[in-house]
Amino acid sequence: MKLRCIAILNRQDIPVYMRSFDDALSEESTVKYQYLAHTSVDVIEERMANAKSSSDLYLGLLQTVGELAIYGYVLNTGARILLVISVPESVVRSAAVREIFQQIHAGYIALICNPFNEGGKLVSSKFDLIINELGRVHAA
Amino acid sequence: MEKQYKSIGEEAWKNNTEKASAELFIFTYGSLVVQLAKDYEDYSAVNKQLDKMGYNIGVRLVDDMMARTSLERCSGFSATAEVIAKVGFKLFLNVVPTVTNWSADAKEFSLILDDNPLNDFCELPPKAVADGLWYSNVLCGVIRGALEMMQMQTEVAYVRDVLRGDDVSEIRVKLVRMLDEEVPASDD
């Protein structure tokens, strides 16, 4: 399973954090992932409308676009985390994806609790370290 | 003597304190520092304000601490240092800093804090680090205020802080002089 991109959008579907792990040109891939994030938002809304209970934050596989699969996770505050991975040869265990989401969630909470955090943009070196680590482990 | 202070501190923490939410305290302190930063825009001024606030807290806090623990007069400055670390910090923050780096004349020492609860979740923006903000400077003021109530004039300052990239947080306490009991000027 090769991790390609992690995106976090806030309640109003505005991207507040985007990190791609491609080696390719950053400009191009950023635009591509932003586009994918926007298309996934509709799927998220649909899933949330149909959800039987709101207790499960993990939304599972949202959609596949070409060779990329997008997984979603919603936080109780309405923020969304999207994970883009390249479609693997073997089956992806949902437990593994869930674990990645939980690590991002924990990092996100630590980020929000920083008193110097300005609302809106998420800029934090500690959070970057966590995401880098995830990238290193899963996007190798 | 040391063991005694440690057990006094722990017992007082267990029995004589009302527990409150740590997160509420941390977030309150964090918003306080951020608001000061916005109001003053100069981080050294923020440091001074935090120290002043800490001073006001310290002069009152020391009476609270004396009420909850039945400590007698300290035999000397080194005993004072032990009391600050093992009883004072333990009672109010539930951390026990290490007392080290005594100067040759035994008038200065350092408190090494491995774990400062005020720092949880906090990340200083680069400008704050560059301008010399000591995030938990209120603690220096508290120590200074408390010691002044105990008739000791001190200078207390941060020298290292984990939030600024150092490996530990270190507060240096220097005894300037003992204040003699001064009879307040009468109204005659």
Side-chain angles (χ1 to χ4, degrees), chain B residues 141-155:
Chain B
V142 171
I143 297 173
R144 187 167 64 89
L147 288 177
E148 200 165 299
M149 282 292 113
M150 294 286 120
Q151 312 304 326
M152 283 171 263
Q153 189 183 344
T154 51
E155 276 169 24

Side-chain angles (χ1 to χ4, degrees), chain B residues 76-87:
Chain B
F77 197 53
S78 63
T80 310
E82 294 296 319
V83 169
I84 295 174
K86 294 199 169 56
V87 184

Side-chain angles (χ1 to χ4, degrees), chain A residues 6 9 16-17 21 38 50 67 75 77 101 105 107 125 134:
Chain A
I6 293 178
L9 303 104
V16 290
Y17 190 85
F21 299 106
H38 281 291
N50 291 344
E67 50 146 26
L75 303 182
T77 51
F101 272 127
H105 190 179
S125 47
L134 281 175

Side-chain angles (χ1 to χ4, degrees), chain A residues 1-127:
Chain A
M1 179 186 65
K2 191 166 171 358
L3 190 63
R4 286 298 201 83
C5 168
I6 293 178
I8 303 185
L9 303 104
N10 69 4
R11 209 186 188 117
Q12 285 85 28
D13 301 324
I14 301 171
V16 290
Y17 190 85
M18 187 88 64
R19 168 65 73 83
S20 74
F21 299 106
D22 280 344
D23 311 314
L25 303 167
S26 55
E27 195 55 55
E28 211 181 274
S29 54
T30 323
V31 171
K32 179 174 82 173
Y33 290 125
Q34 273 180 354
Y35 169 70
L36 285 176
H38 281 291
T39 57
S40 311
V41 165
D42 284 335
V43 187
I44 293 180
E45 299 286 332
E46 199 186 302
R47 289 282 173 94
M48 283 178 61
N50 291 344
K52 20 187 201 315
S53 72
S54 56
S55 58
D56 192 9
L57 305 172
Y58 175 61
L59 295 174
L61 181 63
L62 298 175
Q63 56 168 332
T64 50
V65 178
E67 50 146 26
L68 302 172
I70 308 180
Y71 289 82
Y73 186 92
V74 198
L75 303 182
N76 288 323
T77 51
R80 301 102 197 277
I81 306 180
L82 294 168
L83 208 68
V84 182
I85 66 173
S86 44
V87 175
E89 313 75 32
S90 56
V91 177
V92 178
R93 293 178 303 121
S94 75
V97 184
R98 215 183 262 262
E99 201 187 299
I100 298 180
F101 272 127
Q102 270 162 1
Q103 286 175 329
I104 302 178
H105 190 179
Y108 179 77
I109 292 175
L111 175 69
I112 288 298
C113 293
N114 180 17
F116 289 97
N117 179 37
E118 298 293 307
K121 292 284 135 192
L122 300 183
V123 178
S124 152
S125 47
K126 263 190 219 157
F127 189 63

